[in-house]
Amino acid sequence: MAIYSRTGVTRALVVAMALGVPFAASACGRAPELAHTGSSASAPVIRVAGASARIPDSASSTAVSASCHPGEQLIGGGFSASDIFEFDALITASYPSDPHTWTAVAGHSAEFALTVEAYCLVAHPDLGVTIIHSSAGQPACPTREAALGSGFAEQPPTLGPNVTVTTYVLCATRLRDASVTVQTEYNPHSSSHSYAPGSVTLTCPPGRIAIGGDAGAGGNWLLASSSAGPPYSGWVMAFGGDSDQSPSATCASIN
């Protein structure tokens, strides 16, 4: 995940954004888990493990995690912020915190709701998924290994000149078909529609599933980065502000 910056917020009115899979969750905890399959019998079976929490405006740092069941393989993850005041929702991390868990971290901002998703491959031969990370730029999977989901984590989890961004990628040692990247250019132009965020969906080529997204360099206020849902051919990203963005999606072939 590339390093991105964020700009300040001009407050005008409260807007709500609902992206990704909705969850009915309690104020602090786990959400129901959803199981989806692809559009054909040969498509991989993916279970979406979800968790949601309400982020108070007094919180300095709040982590929300979703985990795969034993025997399932974590192949990616994502998050979405909703019920946002304009685009004032600060996400400082979205990354694989262990081999089975995807975690997102919210920093200090206005109150909002945060949903985290882990994408779990069910009843499938072992892909040999490993996690690699780097604090010196985007890490790349070794030769002949396919990239799956990717993420980022800021340390410390706050804005400022001394923030270090660690980027993550899940690599499949037993997938020999290299992943491809789909990229577009996008500007949410929030100031032209009541400072609301905007979203864009990136679509993979036929036969591939969208399993990760990159905010691109020079972005600001990344508010969602998650699967568009079955048949998993698209990846949704949402931003606030008026900066040009270069969002991209990782498209993998899993069969």
Side-chain angles (χ1 to χ4, degrees), residues 4-255:
Y4 55 88
S5 62
R6 301 183 176 94
T7 61
V9 179
T10 304
R11 302 192 188 304
L13 67 147
V14 176
V15 296
M17 181 185 72
L19 286 175
V21 180
F23 294 91
S26 63
C28 62
R30 307 288 299 179
E33 297 172 341
L34 304 180
H36 301 300
T37 63
S39 58
S40 69
S42 61
V45 178
I46 297 171
R47 187 180 69 87
V48 180
S52 295
R54 190 78 188 174
I55 310 300
D57 57 10
S58 60
S60 59
S61 181
T62 303
V64 182
S65 297
S67 297
C68 297
H69 289 161
E72 298 175 344
Q73 300 176 70
L74 178 70
I75 57 174
F79 71 92
S80 62
S82 61
D83 195 15
I84 304 169
F85 180 83
E86 296 175 354
F87 53 91
D88 190 6
L90 178 60
I91 308 299
T92 62
S94 174
Y95 70 110
S97 53
D98 68 42
H100 306 286
T101 303
W102 198 272
T103 296
V105 180
H108 181 70
S109 60
E111 183 177 350
F112 68 100
L114 176 62
T115 294
V116 178
E117 297 175 348
Y119 306 125
C120 308
L121 189 62
V122 178
H124 195 281
D126 185 12
L127 298 181
V129 179
T130 61
I131 302 171
I132 65 172
H133 58 86
S134 172
S135 298
Q138 178 68 42
C141 293
T143 303
R144 298 182 62 80
E145 292 186 15
L148 300 175
S150 60
F152 66 95
E154 297 180 3
Q155 296 295 333
T158 183
L159 297 178
N162 299 316
V163 171
T164 298
V165 179
T166 300
T167 51
Y168 294 78
V169 65
L170 296 171
C171 300
T173 62
R174 297 188 178 93
L175 275 184
R176 301 307 183 189
D177 189 357
S179 301
V180 299
T181 300
V182 176
Q183 188 170 20
T184 190
E185 300 301 316
Y186 178 72
N187 190 314
H189 292 299
S190 290
S191 62
S192 68
H193 52 277
S194 303
Y195 297 97
S199 65
V200 60
T201 300
L202 297 103
T203 302
C204 291
R208 292 181 178 272
I209 61 174
I211 204 62
D214 191 331
N220 68 337
W221 289 104
L222 176 64
L223 302 174
S225 181
S226 64
S227 169
Y232 302 103
S233 59
W235 191 264
V236 178
M237 303 190 79
F239 303 87
D242 292 285
S243 296
D244 292 335
Q245 313 292 340
S246 298
S248 63
T250 300
C251 302
S253 177
I254 300 175
N255 47 39

